[in-house]
Amino acid sequence: MDRNSVGAGAGSPREGVEHPDHRVEFHLSPGDIQAVRFGISPGHELAHAVRVLLRPAQHPLQWGWLRAVRDRLPRESFRLLAAVIGDDGYMPDFLTAAPGWDMTPEAELAALRITPLEPMRVDFGKMVLRSTGARRRALHEMRQHPERARAMIADAWSDVWDAALTPVWPQLERLLRSDVAVRSRVIATSGIREMAGGLHPKVTWGDGAVRVSLRRHSEVVDCHGSGLVLVPSVMSSWGCMVLTEPPAQPTLFYPARGVTAGWSRDASEIATSLGALLGPARATILLEAGIARTTSEVAQDAGIAVSTASHHLTVLRDAGLVSSERDGARMLHLRTPLGEAMIGAAL
């Protein structure tokens, strides 16, 4: 996801060489909230999960997850993805579809299976230039036979996802959505500048541009007419990456907030932690409030009486953790950004 620089003049840091002055600028219309949206990228999470497995010493926040998944990895599928993704630097664009709020692992995999072949060949060519030895030979072979490579990579993607991320996707997705909810509230209350400044120490906002410092790449990206997609990540919790090359929409990947060494704990452990604060019933209701439900549905899912569910929902609503809105004759209940933040903190 590093790109050829645009607008770099004489004396600028050399492209592809680490330098503290490298940065990408995403230029937007000043104050244009509509130009910024959030998305989720299962493909990005899987690609960085592979990198975590390749270089575990550099990712201590993932060690709990690593211990659980290392022994159940499908070895051949993992080796194939490791050759394609590598442990650092350029990452092929075809591995990830356009991030979206409703992007699912199933949709990501379906998009990979039909990704256009010519852009794949271009990506393989870039990776060949950046690799050596056995990996370079393997990538060259894939470039020569992209249709076969696409099918093999998609199958490997599916195998590694099922083994490594399916068991923790509910926890991972909850963290991602919690992050988006909190940052969306910051935009609404304090503006883009405040939100952008809180994404990461290397991200700033000024003069109508989101600026991100990178290690090896500089570029100026005009986002007028396309906007900017912001994508939180749990697996790439060390720093930021960008996607700038058309036809992809300009995208900034940043570390999700609230990622701790215990993020991969299962729902029962999280419920126990929240239960100590809220009580078991309210903790369960809050954990399941990521989808709007009626009071009767909340009661049924929690195994309690409707009147009891109504009481717990009132307490959660008064605390600002759940919002309730009328939809015709129904009242629908959903976690608020504060509720999302509390769930994220419990992770």
Side-chain angles (χ1 to χ4, degrees), residues 302-337:
I304 56 180
V306 172
S307 58
T308 305
S310 179
H311 169 70
H312 289 316
L313 286 165
T314 298
V315 173
L316 292 171
R317 184 169 57 250
D318 290 345
L321 302 177
V322 168
S323 64
S324 302
E325 295 186 5
R326 186 164 297 282
D327 178 29
R330 306 184 305 166
M331 184 70 77
L332 297 177
H333 311 282
L334 184 67
R335 276 199 303 264
T336 64

Side-chain angles (χ1 to χ4, degrees), residues 7 41-43 71 96 140 148 151 180-181 205 346:
S41 176
D71 293 336
T96 57
H140 179 73
R148 183 177 68 188
V180 171
W205 164 270

Side-chain angles (χ1 to χ4, degrees), residues 19-342:
H19 193 284
D21 291 338
H22 273 305
R23 71 179 184 183
V24 169
E25 298 185 3
F26 295 99
H27 284 257
L28 302 160
S29 299
D32 186 2
I33 294 178
Q34 300 302 319
V36 176
R37 67 177 180 85
F38 290 90
I40 289 174
S41 176
H44 183 83
E45 295 306 297
L46 180 61
H48 281 278
V50 169
R51 290 190 166 180
V52 169
L53 287 158
L54 289 172
R55 303 176 75 177
Q58 297 187 7
H59 305 279
L61 294 181
Q62 313 300 347
W63 287 351
W65 168 78
L66 276 166
R67 285 192 294 269
V69 306
R70 185 176 291 159
D71 293 336
R72 61 172 182 250
L73 284 174
R75 299 301 171 183
E76 290 302 317
S77 292
F78 177 76
R79 273 195 286 269
L80 176 62
L81 287 190
V84 173
I85 294 167
D87 61 4
D88 192 24
Y90 178 80
M91 186 179 294
D93 295 345
F94 69 80
L95 282 173
T96 57
W101 179 247
D102 56 353
M103 176 60 72
T104 64
E106 294 78 15
E108 187 91 74
L109 178 57
L112 177 58
R113 291 194 184 280
I114 61 172
T115 192
L117 296 179
E118 188 53 35
M120 281 188 66
R121 285 176 55 84
V122 172
D123 279 351
F124 280 129
K126 293 177 182 179
M127 291 185 290
V128 166
L129 294 175
R130 291 166 168 82
S131 59
T132 59
R135 183 187 179 215
R136 185 171 191 169
R137 291 191 294 272
L139 291 170
H140 179 73
E141 177 68 16
M142 293 183 208
R143 186 174 185 273
Q144 296 299 108
H145 305 281
E147 188 169 5
R148 183 177 68 188
R150 179 178 64 184
M152 293 173 59
I153 292 168
D155 288 344
W157 195 106
S158 179
D159 291 344
V160 175
W161 179 276
D162 287 344
L165 290 187
T166 290
V168 296
W169 180 242
Q171 299 96 297
L172 199 154
E173 185 181 25
R174 191 177 295 123
L175 269 172
L176 299 177
R177 295 192 183 280
S178 296
D179 178 278
V180 171
V182 171
R183 297 190 195 279
S184 297
R185 174 62 66 88
V186 173
I187 290 179
T189 57
S190 303
I192 294 178
R193 178 190 299 271
E194 188 73 17
M195 183 279 300
L199 288 176
H200 189 268
K202 293 186 179 296
V203 178
T204 58
W205 164 270
D207 299 324
V210 175
R211 297 178 174 86
V212 53
S213 297
L214 297 177
R215 291 183 297 162
R216 303 187 183 103
H217 177 58
S218 292
E219 185 172 355
V220 175
V221 184
D222 184 355
C223 297
H224 295 91
S226 63
L228 174 64
V229 185
L230 301 177
V231 184
S233 176
V234 171
M235 285 295 175
S236 58
S237 56
W238 54 269
C240 300
M241 294 186 71
V242 300
L243 182 60
T244 62
E245 190 167 296
Q249 186 168 2
T251 303
L252 168 59
F253 299 90
Y254 64 90
R257 60 187 294 155
V259 179
T260 68
W263 73 264
S264 61
R265 292 184 303 163
D266 64 30
S268 61
E269 292 182 84
I270 301 168
T272 299
S273 298
L274 285 176
L277 177 65
L278 302 174
R282 289 170 194 161
T284 298
I285 291 171
L286 186 62
L287 276 170
E288 296 178 353
I291 298 174
R293 296 173 300 161
T294 66
T295 305
S296 296
E297 289 169 335
V298 170
Q300 182 177 356
D301 292 344
I304 56 180
V306 172
S307 58
T308 305
S310 179
H311 169 70
H312 289 316
L313 286 165
T314 298
V315 173
L316 292 171
R317 184 169 57 250
D318 290 345
L321 302 177
V322 168
S323 64
S324 302
E325 295 186 5
R326 186 164 297 282
D327 178 29
R330 306 184 305 166
M331 184 70 77
L332 297 177
H333 311 282
L334 184 67
R335 276 199 303 264
T336 64
L338 179 61
E340 296 284 1
M342 178 171 283

